[in-house]
Amino acid sequence: MYSFGWCKGIDEAETLRSLGFDYIECTVTSLMLENQSEFEKILPKFIDSPLPALAFNVFFPNGLPVVGPDTDSERTRRYVSKAAAALNRIGARIVVLGSGRARHIPDGWDRGRAEEQFSRLLGWMGDEFDGTGVTVAIEPLNRKETNLINSVAEAVAFAGQANRRSIRVLADFYHMDEENEPLDTLVEHKDWLAHIHVADTGRLSPGTGQYPYGPFVESLKKAGYSGLISAECNTNHPEEELPAALAFMKQKFK
């Protein structure tokens, strides 16, 4: 029913495969999309990975804002187009639109204008990703990381406005906990959920803290969610924590 992955660099794919994970989640920025020679060198690693790279996050690189006075429409559209083509070639199913810094509304910039810019971005992404088999999952982030889209409900509002087949929403257990977001929002917005990120107290490995995994899993089951679940967290002793976290997730989500 569920597939479990971990957010790591592509060079860690074999390690994750040997531990029993179903897929790896990498960063879009690691594809070096704006450097054609580097992109061509690195792409085979993703296509031929021993563990499929089914999900990607960290969409935009530093220095490419998508809201505010310093946006570059041509560069952004070119980047989105390259990302869609590359992820389609790799066989990805999900690309996460988090990029809190890129979407952070600068001081003095009108929120309404920023929301219009973000909505326009979603239109461009829909143009490129519709029909590729790759779903764009808007990620709500906590207020320490961005000031635009801090809840599942806000992400759903943007996705609904975009009204594109490829634009859906991610729920991240860490960010939900940071924002004290009620878990029943997962059920309320069940038709929009396309991807899940998990962690535990202190943004460490699942199973090492006090996050209420029981109610979280129950909410996802009530929502009818069946899909990818990626651990996005920090580790102190990965050789011990990764297999333990996988066992914990399999037990909780069974």
Side-chain angles (χ1 to χ4, degrees):
M1 183 179 181
Y2 301 106
S3 296
F4 298 101
W6 202 282
C7 297
K8 284 274 193 183
I10 194 64
D11 290 336
E12 299 293 326
E14 174 55 36
T15 298
L16 293 179
R17 187 204 63 77
S18 69
L19 292 173
F21 284 91
D22 300 305
Y23 67 94
I24 187 170
E25 179 166 334
C26 301
T27 65
V28 177
T29 52
S30 67
L31 293 171
M32 305 293 289
L33 294 172
E34 295 186 291
N35 185 324
Q36 188 63 27
S37 62
E38 288 299 313
F39 168 69
E40 289 174 357
K41 274 193 251 180
I42 199 169
L43 182 63
K45 277 190 175 186
F46 293 86
I47 293 175
D48 302 327
S49 173
L51 193 66
L54 297 184
F56 283 78
N57 56 42
V58 191
F59 195 99
F60 288 106
N62 289 335
L64 185 52
V66 296
V67 304
D70 300 321
T71 57
D72 184 333
S73 296
E74 287 188 14
R75 182 184 170 199
T76 300
R77 296 197 73 168
R78 188 165 58 246
Y79 185 87
V80 168
S81 179
K82 287 182 177 179
L87 296 177
N88 183 38
R89 288 180 65 185
I90 291 167
R93 286 166 45 187
I94 294 287
V95 62
V96 176
L97 180 54
S99 300
R101 190 176 301 175
R103 77 181 197 225
H104 189 85
I105 305 171
D107 290 342
W109 190 253
D110 180 70
R111 171 168 285 271
R113 290 182 69 183
E115 291 176 351
E116 288 174 5
Q117 289 174 312
F118 193 78
S119 293
R120 186 164 62 246
L121 168 68
L122 292 179
W124 296 338
M125 296 187 84
D127 289 343
E128 298 294 342
F129 281 94
D130 279 355
T132 64
V134 184
T135 297
V136 177
I138 305 170
E139 181 177 26
L141 301 170
N142 71 75
R143 291 166 209 274
K144 291 179 288 186
E145 297 189 20
T146 194
N147 56 7
L148 179 61
I149 309 177
N150 305 115
S151 70
V152 171
E154 288 177 278
V156 167
F158 275 98
Q161 184 183 46
N163 193 28
R164 305 299 290 262
R165 286 177 300 163
S166 60
I167 307 292
R168 290 294 182 266
V169 171
L170 175 150
D172 184 307
F173 201 5
Y174 164 74
H175 293 295
M176 290 182 72
D177 187 79
E178 287 290 297
E179 291 294 311
N180 296 309
E181 190 171 2
L183 294 177
D184 58 12
T185 194
L186 300 172
V187 181
E188 183 180 352
H189 300 297
K190 61 183 181 179
D191 293 338
W192 293 96
L193 291 181
H195 192 36
I196 300 295
H197 278 172
V198 294
D200 215 323
T201 309
R203 209 172 195 177
L204 296 175
S205 300
T208 61
Q210 285 79 48
Y211 276 16
Y213 265 89
F216 181 72
V217 172
E218 280 306 306
S219 294
L220 284 179
K221 287 182 176 179
K222 284 181 185 175
Y225 180 81
S226 60
L228 307 184
I229 298 175
S230 297
E232 185 184 35
C233 56
N234 301 313
T235 56
N236 294 314
H237 305 286
E239 64 282 350
E240 301 169 5
E241 292 175 40
L242 267 67
L246 180 59
F248 173 82
M249 290 190 289
K250 285 184 173 181
Q251 191 275 326
K252 286 294 181 181
F253 284 91
K254 67 182 178 182

